[in-house]
């Protein structure tokens, strides 16, 4: 008899699913997307937005009075698009389909139409909305920007394995160079419904589930989703979804070369007067070395390196959601990262919680208690 692959004997998680728990993938998804293509934002001040973007490590592809397109050094389309607007906001995510036929298939299955993307991007898109109200574009056939020279990883002497003799280690204190967009994290008042929508429509599969301690029987409250590329490995998460009192963007993450790039790039951002939210540390779910920053509009963005890649054979891991369980090493998760710093953000979230608790969604008093325990556990 063929044994299923055991993902839990020290391979990636201490716990697997219990009988009857969420399987973490749809039986017959409409399409299987290949990757996250780009994120779209609105911001009032594109000059300020670009200054931060350059210090963070992006390269500007396009700059007009009304639009900014930013890229990493990897080949492909821009990874961030910012349009000028009176107020700042997250507009939505674009996911890359395997080909234009998959975009058409998704349009037909959802009763939408395939539209051409602007000439600056090329290709086509189908515009959908997830159950949390977030805009989701699925795209294909865009122009491929050629690869740019990137940072080179350092040669490390590790104990007896000597790779560097008669040579020094001098990482320059310069902006890290962003290679590519890695993932986006979204919060939802309809987490499970939204999760199931992504599994069914985009063919994403769950790498790890988190549950509130003492509430596992009520189901998960966070999931890290990867692309199903068959035997080709994919990032541990391309999208993460979490239950919360409002529907909102949480953070997005951009890959840089290595720990030196994360650390020296961070020193550069501090020198420029930007604000670190939380870091440097190493995550558990996904294993990335991380460093979180606040951009001038208050959006949380992450530099990361050395993340896990899984093929489609691993089953979801299960773990309780705790603040201390967010990292293997590093400083304790900050109030800013956890979203509990007193201020307008917290006030907005508290107001949202009051109306969400009265509404028809998945966030109730029991879940609020579970969430409040996370920060102190
Ligand atoms: Fe992240």
């Amino acid at each position: 008899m063929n044994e299923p692959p055991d993902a839990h004997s020290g391979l990636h998680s201490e716990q697997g699913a219990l009988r009857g728990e969420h399987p973490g993938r749809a039986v017959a998804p409409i399409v299987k997307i290949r990757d996250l293509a780009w994120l779209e934002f609105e911001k009032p001040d594109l000059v300020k937005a670009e200054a931060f973007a350059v210090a963070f490590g992006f390269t500007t592809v396009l700059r007009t009075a009304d639009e900014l397109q930013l890229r990493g050094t990897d080949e492909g389309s821009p990874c961030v698009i910012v349009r000028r607007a009176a107020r700042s906001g997250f507009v939505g995510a674009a996911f890359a389909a395997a080909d234009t036929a998959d975009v058409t298939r998704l349009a037909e299955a959802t009763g939408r139409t395939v539209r051409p993307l602007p000439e600056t991007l090329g290709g086509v898109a189908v515009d959908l909305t997830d159950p949390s109200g977030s805009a989701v574009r699925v795209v294909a056939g865009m122009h491929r920007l050629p690869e740019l020279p990137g940072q080179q990883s350092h040669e490390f002497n590790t104990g007896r394995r000597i790779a560097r003799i008669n040579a020094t280690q001098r990482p320059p204190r310069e902006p890290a160079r962003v290679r590519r967009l890695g993932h986006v994290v979204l919060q939802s008042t309809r987490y499970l419904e939204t999760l199931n929508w992504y599994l069914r429509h985009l063919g994403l599969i769950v790498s790890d589930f988190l549950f509130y301690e003492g509430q596992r029987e009520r189901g998960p409250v966070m999931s890290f989703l990867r692309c199903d590329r068959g035997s080709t490995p994919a990032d541990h998460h391309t999208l993460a979804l979490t239950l919360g009192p409002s529907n909102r963007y949480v953070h997005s993450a951009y890959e840089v070369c290595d720990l030196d790039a994360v650390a020296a790039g961070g020193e550069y951002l501090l020198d420029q007067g930007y604000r670190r939210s939380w870091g440097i540390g190493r995550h558990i779910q996904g294993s990335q070395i991380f460093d979180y920053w606040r951009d001038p509009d208050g959006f949380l963005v992450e530099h990361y390196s050395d993340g896990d890649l899984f093929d489609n054979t691993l089953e979801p891991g299960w773990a309780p959601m705790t603040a201390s369980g967010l990292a293997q090493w590093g400083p304790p998760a900050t109030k800013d990262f956890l979203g509990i710093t007193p201020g307008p953000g917290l006030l907005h979230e508290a107001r949202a919680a009051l109306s969400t608790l009265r509404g028809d969604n998945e966030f109730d008093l029991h879940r609020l208690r579970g969430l409040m325990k996370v920060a102190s556990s």
Side-chain angles (χ1 to χ4, degrees):
M1 191 179 107
N2 274 343
E3 289 290 322
D6 183 358
H8 308 294
S9 56
L11 188 53
H12 111 267
S13 174
E14 284 176 20
Q15 296 182 51
L18 304 174
R19 187 180 295 275
E21 282 186 323
H22 198 296
R25 53 183 83 190
V27 176
I30 301 167
V31 301
K32 293 179 178 178
I33 53 109
R34 301 294 297 170
D35 208 348
L36 186 57
W38 64 78
L39 302 178
E40 299 183 19
F41 294 88
E42 290 179 339
K43 296 183 180 185
D45 187 340
L46 297 190
V47 174
K48 211 164 68 172
E50 188 181 9
F52 174 81
V54 169
F56 188 78
F58 290 105
T59 302
T60 303
V61 184
L62 177 99
R63 179 198 307 115
T64 68
D66 297 313
E67 189 173 335
L68 186 62
Q69 291 185 1
L70 305 166
R71 65 168 292 183
T73 56
D74 276 11
E75 186 208 10
S77 42
C79 54
V80 174
I81 297 174
V82 188
R83 287 190 204 88
R84 198 160 63 88
R87 297 179 60 178
S88 66
F90 173 67
V91 177
F95 293 89
D99 50 34
T100 52
D102 270 1
V103 176
T104 305
R105 179 202 292 257
L106 203 46
E108 280 167 1
T110 54
R112 301 296 175 107
T113 45
V114 178
R115 295 175 201 279
L117 283 162
E119 186 38 42
T120 55
L121 297 166
V124 295
V126 57
D127 288 328
L128 309 173
T129 308
D130 76 18
S132 311
S134 189
V136 178
R137 319 188 96 167
V138 178
V139 298
M142 296 77 67
H143 308 311
R144 307 282 303 170
L145 300 166
E147 188 179 343
L148 296 176
Q151 280 173 306
Q152 294 301 312
S153 192
H154 291 81
E155 289 276 22
F156 291 107
N157 289 337
T158 54
R160 294 214 181 92
R161 223 180 62 205
I162 308 300
R164 200 180 70 254
I165 300 166
N166 298 337
T168 59
Q169 202 72 298
R170 297 285 184 273
R173 199 169 168 126
E174 62 183 15
R177 295 214 77 188
V178 167
R179 298 188 57 165
R180 65 190 179 97
L181 167 63
H183 62 261
V184 62
V185 182
L186 303 175
Q187 178 179 285
S188 169
T189 60
R190 301 168 179 278
Y191 154 77
L192 206 56
E193 190 186 344
T194 304
L195 166 68
N196 290 334
W197 186 90
Y198 280 97
L199 302 186
R200 158 129 181 80
H201 287 79
L202 306 192
L204 293 162
I205 54 181
V206 175
S207 297
D208 277 290
F209 279 119
L210 300 183
F211 53 87
Y212 289 149
E213 256 173 323
Q215 296 190 24
R216 181 165 179 167
E217 74 291 345
R218 287 202 64 190
V221 291
M222 183 161 192
S223 40
F224 297 85
L225 307 163
R226 70 185 184 277
C227 298
D228 180 352
R229 298 184 194 156
S231 58
T232 304
D235 290 329
H236 172 276
H237 54 284
T238 286
L239 171 69
L241 297 169
T242 186
L243 178 65
S246 64
N247 295 311
R248 67 176 180 92
Y249 165 94
V250 180
H251 75 255
S252 53
Y254 304 86
E255 189 181 28
V256 301
C257 159
D258 60 10
L259 174 58
D260 279 289
V262 171
E267 293 301 310
Y268 182 85
L269 282 164
L270 285 179
D271 289 346
Q272 300 297 308
Y274 294 115
R275 193 155 59 90
R276 174 177 272 134
S277 174
W278 180 37
I280 297 170
R282 192 186 271 279
H283 278 310
I284 297 178
Q285 279 79 23
S287 306
Q288 302 95 337
I289 292 172
F290 64 83
D291 199 11
Y292 288 91
W293 295 85
R294 287 278 169 195
D295 83 0
D297 294 278
F299 291 105
L300 199 56
V301 286
E302 173 187 4
H303 275 151
Y304 80 90
S305 185
D306 193 32
D308 295 333
L309 289 150
F310 289 178
D311 64 22
N312 76 346
T313 62
L314 295 205
E315 297 297 324
W318 286 73
M321 184 196 264
T322 60
S324 60
L326 292 172
Q328 310 187 51
W329 54 258
T334 59
K335 284 198 167 100
D336 181 73
F337 179 81
L338 296 170
I340 53 173
T341 309
L346 187 61
L347 202 64
H348 178 267
E349 202 73 342
R351 279 209 196 98
L354 284 178
S355 72
T356 302
L357 286 171
R358 288 194 295 263
D360 170 29
N361 55 69
E362 299 171 22
F363 194 79
D364 57 22
L365 214 50
H366 200 47
R367 290 311 211 179
L368 177 62
R369 272 190 220 109
L371 178 61
M372 287 171 76
K373 275 193 213 153
V374 170
S376 57
S377 56

